[in-house]
Amino acid sequence: MQPLFSVDSIKKIEQAFVKQQGIELYELMLRAGASAFERARRLWPQASHWLIATGAGNNAGDGLVVAKHALQAGFDVTLIALKPYAELRGDPKKAWQELLSMKKEPHQTFDILSVDDAEELDLSFAEVVIDALLGTGVDGELRDHYRLMIESLNSLEAPKLALDIPTGVYAESGNCAKYNGQDIAFKADATISFIALKTGQRLNQALEYQGQLYLDTLGVKNPLAFGEQATAWSVDSHHLRDKIPTRGKVGSKFDCGHALIVGGGQNLGGAAILSATAAIKSGSGLVSCWLHGDNQTAALSHCPEVMWQAYPESPVSNDFKRFQAVGFGPGLGRSEAAEQYFLSSMKCLYQLDIPCVLDADGLYWLAQHTSVELPAKCIMTPHAGEACRLLNAQQEDVFSSGRIEPQLSVDTAYVEQNRIHVARALAKKYSAICVLKGAGTVVSDGEQCFVLAGAHPAMMTAGLGDVLTGLMTSLIAQGAKLLDAALVATQLHYEAAVSVAGARQRGVLASEVINELVVWINQLERSVK
């Protein structure tokens, strides 16, 4: 796993590291610029004219070091100075002075453009574009000349590299600056981050604007060694290989868990059918599904391996005793009968201490009944809208608990700006594992937070959340620990969706992802052996 840090923490790590090493901060600027130059040259070896846009602060200094190396290598260099170089101070000023001392070859061009010059010139000569404007220094709205410069650079066809983070992307949240309701950020083909990854680099619009993400620690081998805590941890499937439940050659279906899916209200059968199908195809020995009787025929014809049953009229503890895990909510509905079913089912699961995955309408009813006792082992899987309902529910309780930062109203914008905080707050409030779905899903147990999966346009389709619930429930039934099940299911779900999408950006069905999950879960299991 890879730690993710706030910008303030990374600054403190830098300071502690240079003090430990007996070097100046300027040495890190030199290393960053050299690293960025080498990365760009490896990525785009044919580029001979480098266009480097610099702003103020250390990001500009990094860009000037890149310019120095490009000149030394014999390339043509054009600088765009959004802040006049004569006004630079500190380490960026040193970088500028070193660049000025460079002698270029007669065949080389080295031009410096003001903002006004750049606006009037055709910049299509650029063969690689370097964003050294603001980096992590973006705070609030972008000034007009930065916004216009970003729009101009984005219009160029040349490949683009951002230093540390694309200008316009907020390093803490991964969201973008806005102008007239539209995102404004440098659209990089690649980004090279320094020291350690920033929290926002695994979240939200950062996943769209940063391109391929690289990290150069600049010699900081262990950023955790300097007293700073990671905000969250970045996880991929490589880190989860030993979290999947193992099975031997000898045994039977009864050794692999019995999962129950509860949902599929009248005219809402699809969600429960997808969820239960995902559960049986991901390895649960037995899968039952309680759904409205009107849906049984369609469900049976779709997947006869699942035991489809009309809802027990009024569930009691004995109805649940044979299950090792319950996925509750997909397509349950919002009728009065569904509400009563939620309340009676939660009472039974709490009494029997059966692990539960709450999703969809299960979360809706939880927001209406926040005092309901959930099983000790519970996962909740909200998207941003559901998280809003869960945070706004019973505001007086939220405020008095002190466990959630008081907000007069929590909306989806607040959730997207504070995804780490919201996931942790929900986990604490409901004493559950929270899987906050979105671009970079955040999983929290109330203390630790993990960011995994990613973003893909083909995943903007109905039913994928139901598939995730079925997969999670199945893994728990098979014996996975609650947190492990949440992490493994979230990552495999994403990997399978991206894989089955291929070149498609739309038109992927949730049922296709279920079939691809079979491939990915077995592939992960083989990688352990």
Side-chain angles (χ1 to χ4, degrees):
M1 293 186 287
Q2 196 168 33
L4 304 174
F5 293 95
S6 69
V7 173
D8 284 345
S9 288
I10 290 176
K11 289 178 179 177
K12 291 175 182 177
I13 292 167
E14 288 177 348
Q15 294 282 353
F17 176 71
V18 297
K19 183 178 180 180
Q20 179 197 73
Q21 298 294 308
I23 59 177
E24 295 182 352
L25 277 170
Y26 184 55
E27 172 62 26
L28 295 186
M29 182 174 287
L30 294 176
R31 294 180 187 182
S35 175
F37 169 73
E38 289 299 333
R39 176 63 63 183
R41 186 160 69 167
R42 285 197 297 272
L43 288 172
W44 307 294
Q46 305 305 316
S48 61
H49 198 143
W50 293 51
L51 178 64
I52 304 171
T54 62
N58 288 337
N59 204 238
D62 296 341
L64 293 172
V65 176
V66 173
K68 180 185 74 172
H69 284 279
L71 280 176
Q72 284 177 334
F75 299 128
D76 297 328
V77 174
T78 297
L79 293 172
I80 302 176
L82 272 73
K83 180 172 184 175
Y85 295 132
E87 298 178 12
L88 294 178
R89 298 290 181 267
D91 290 342
K93 181 179 179 179
K94 288 183 186 177
W96 169 238
Q97 290 171 337
E98 281 196 24
L99 179 58
L100 278 182
S101 68
M102 290 284 302
K103 291 184 179 180
K104 67 180 182 67
E105 296 297 326
H107 69 274
Q108 287 180 279
T109 62
F110 177 37
D111 297 315
I112 300 171
L113 306 178
S114 67
V115 176
D116 292 338
D117 294 335
E119 287 178 355
E120 293 178 5
L121 277 177
D122 178 4
L123 302 176
S124 61
F125 59 80
E127 296 176 2
V128 63
V129 179
I130 307 295
D131 166 22
L133 292 170
L134 292 173
T136 59
V138 176
D139 184 18
E141 294 183 3
L142 287 171
R143 295 179 181 176
D144 284 346
H145 59 299
Y146 280 93
R147 173 179 59 81
L148 293 171
M149 180 54 58
I150 288 170
E151 290 174 350
S152 177
L153 297 177
N154 283 348
S155 71
L156 300 176
E157 294 183 2
K160 301 172 182 68
L161 176 71
L163 305 188
D164 221 8
I165 195 168
T167 297
V169 175
Y170 300 116
E172 305 294 357
S173 69
N175 285 309
C176 283
K178 301 282 186 181
Y179 181 75
N180 288 339
Q182 299 296 313
D183 291 341
I184 295 294
F186 182 78
K187 188 69 182 291
D189 296 289
T191 296
I192 181 163
S193 190
F194 304 121
I195 303 295
L197 293 182
K198 291 74 185 164
T199 306
Q201 290 182 302
R202 292 288 282 109
L203 296 168
N204 296 326
Q205 280 82 9
L207 301 176
E208 180 167 350
Y209 282 91
Q210 68 194 2
Q212 182 65 47
L213 180 61
Y214 299 94
L215 173 65
D216 191 322
T217 65
L218 308 182
V220 182
K221 294 181 180 178
N222 180 13
L224 293 166
F226 300 97
E228 293 300 311
Q229 297 295 314
T231 305
W233 294 85
S234 177
V235 182
D236 62 28
S237 55
H238 173 76
H239 303 119
L240 301 172
R241 290 182 299 176
D242 61 344
K243 307 297 185 185
I244 192 167
T246 58
R247 58 174 66 183
K249 294 180 179 179
V250 178
S252 74
K253 59 190 176 185
F254 300 107
D255 300 311
C256 299
H258 192 168
L260 170 67
I261 302 298
V262 181
Q266 190 169 25
N267 302 319
L268 298 170
I273 292 171
L274 287 168
S275 192
T277 305
I280 193 71
K281 287 198 171 185
S282 55
S284 193
L286 296 160
V287 175
S288 293
C289 181
W290 295 351
L291 73 177
H292 192 278
D294 288 356
N295 299 318
Q296 275 186 283
T297 300
L300 186 60
S301 65
H302 176 79
C303 186
E305 293 85 356
V306 172
M307 292 173 280
W308 309 98
Q309 180 183 343
Y311 297 126
E313 193 165 314
S314 180
V316 294
S317 294
N318 278 339
D319 295 320
F320 288 98
K321 279 185 175 179
R322 66 185 185 277
F323 304 114
Q324 281 71 60
V326 176
F328 192 96
L332 181 68
R334 299 182 182 181
S335 65
E336 185 177 337
E339 180 179 19
Q340 293 307 310
Y341 217 83
F342 167 79
L343 293 172
S344 56
S345 295
M346 289 305 109
K347 181 179 180 181
C348 294
L349 295 176
Y350 174 77
Q351 291 173 343
L352 295 171
D353 196 26
I354 296 174
C356 176
V357 179
L358 269 181
D359 185 29
D361 291 325
L363 296 175
Y364 174 83
W365 290 116
L366 177 61
Q368 314 306 311
H369 300 279
T370 55
S371 61
V372 71
E373 291 181 303
L374 299 176
K377 296 177 180 178
C378 183
I379 298 175
M380 57 198 315
T381 63
H383 53 57
E386 290 164 336
C388 287
R389 277 197 294 270
L390 291 163
L391 286 175
N392 279 324
Q394 302 294 322
Q395 285 193 2
E396 66 278 6
D397 173 61
V398 173
F399 295 157
S400 65
S401 73
R403 290 178 293 182
I404 297 178
E405 184 177 308
Q407 298 289 320
L408 293 177
S409 177
V410 176
D411 57 16
T412 54
Y414 173 84
V415 172
E416 297 298 357
Q417 287 283 352
N418 300 277
R419 290 171 56 73
I420 303 290
H421 173 72
V422 166
R424 183 182 284 117
L426 283 171
K428 285 183 177 180
K429 176 173 172 57
Y430 293 98
S431 300
I433 303 290
C434 178
V435 178
L436 181 57
K437 296 181 286 194
T441 292
V442 181
V443 177
S444 179
D445 61 1
E447 298 299 330
Q448 299 183 93
C449 287
F450 306 87
V451 184
L452 60 169
H456 194 286
M459 295 185 74
M460 301 174 189
T461 187
L464 283 181
D466 306 312
V467 173
L468 179 62
T469 295
L471 174 59
M472 231 173 260
T473 306
S474 174
L475 291 173
I476 297 168
Q478 292 175 64
K481 296 178 181 177
L482 217 64
L483 181 59
D484 291 347
L487 294 172
V488 171
T490 300
Q491 187 63 28
L492 284 180
H493 178 260
Y494 170 72
E495 303 264 14
V498 172
S499 175
V500 78
R504 290 181 292 173
Q505 295 201 21
R506 64 194 74 203
V508 172
L509 299 179
S511 53
E512 293 179 79
V513 177
I514 294 175
N515 292 330
E516 189 69 10
L517 272 171
V518 177
V519 176
W520 280 86
I521 197 167
N522 281 285
Q523 181 175 302
L524 184 62
E525 186 171 34
R526 285 195 301 271
S527 70
V528 179
K529 297 176 180 178

